[in-house]
Amino acid sequence: MLLNRALSILVAVLVACLSLRALAQPEPIEITSASNIQAHFQFWEDATGEASIDQVLSLADERWKAVPHGSATFGLTQSAHWLRFAIKNQTQLNLNLIAELGYSQLDDVVFYLYAGGRRIKELKTGDSRNFYPRDVDHPSMLLRVSLAPDEMQTVYVR
């Protein structure tokens, strides 16, 4: 009986620890010379569609929901959906990458790129905007990201 109780407490502690880890910011997508890029991100639904990037940056980590496989469909909604993911260059090379939001029929998409807590790029695109200027001439919503060795950047997408 005592052993069962001890085991139950141990399982409860492990579950609590894993739950706290799930609420924290996602691990960065690590770019190495020996691996495929494994995409994953978090999202937050802005039901009013009125949140600014500053409001989104101040959201508590537990407000974000993880998408571990890198693909999600939110359906037709009046809400705005925000995505966030971090990218870390684990190589000794300067990398030029492209982040893709692979649905070309979105009306209003804004990419925000942050490094070291400051915004380094903002790109507005989507069907309701002119095709040019885009980072890449392509129907999908694409963002160019340059990463120095050991550099990490965070991408927010509205």
Side-chain angles (χ1 to χ4, degrees), residues 10-49:
L10 178 61
V11 169
V13 169
L14 287 174
V15 168
C17 290
L18 291 174
S19 297
L20 290 174
R21 179 160 169 74
L23 294 177
Q25 282 196 351
E27 292 293 320
I29 298 169
E30 293 186 351
I31 312 298
T32 67
S33 58
S35 68
N36 293 330
I37 299 173
Q38 300 298 317
H40 59 271
F41 63 90
Q42 291 181 319
F43 76 93
W44 172 69
E45 183 176 359
D46 172 13
T48 66

Side-chain angles (χ1 to χ4, degrees), residues 76 101-109 126-128 134 139-141:
L76 295 175
L101 185 57
Y103 186 70
S104 63
Q105 293 144 1
L106 295 172
D107 292 334
D108 184 23
V109 175
D127 276 356
S128 66
R134 286 195 178 191
S140 289
M141 312 306 165

Side-chain angles (χ1 to χ4, degrees), residues 113-120 151-154:
L113 188 60
Y114 281 79
R118 67 179 190 86
R119 186 183 319 169
I120 58 174
E151 182 180 15
M152 186 167 82
Q153 296 180 9
T154 303

Side-chain angles (χ1 to χ4, degrees), residues 98 100-102 104 125 131-132 134-142:
I98 296 177
E100 177 183 15
L101 185 57
S104 63
T125 187
F131 188 82
Y132 295 104
R134 286 195 178 191
D135 269 4
V136 180
D137 291 344
H138 191 276
S140 289
M141 312 306 165
L142 304 174

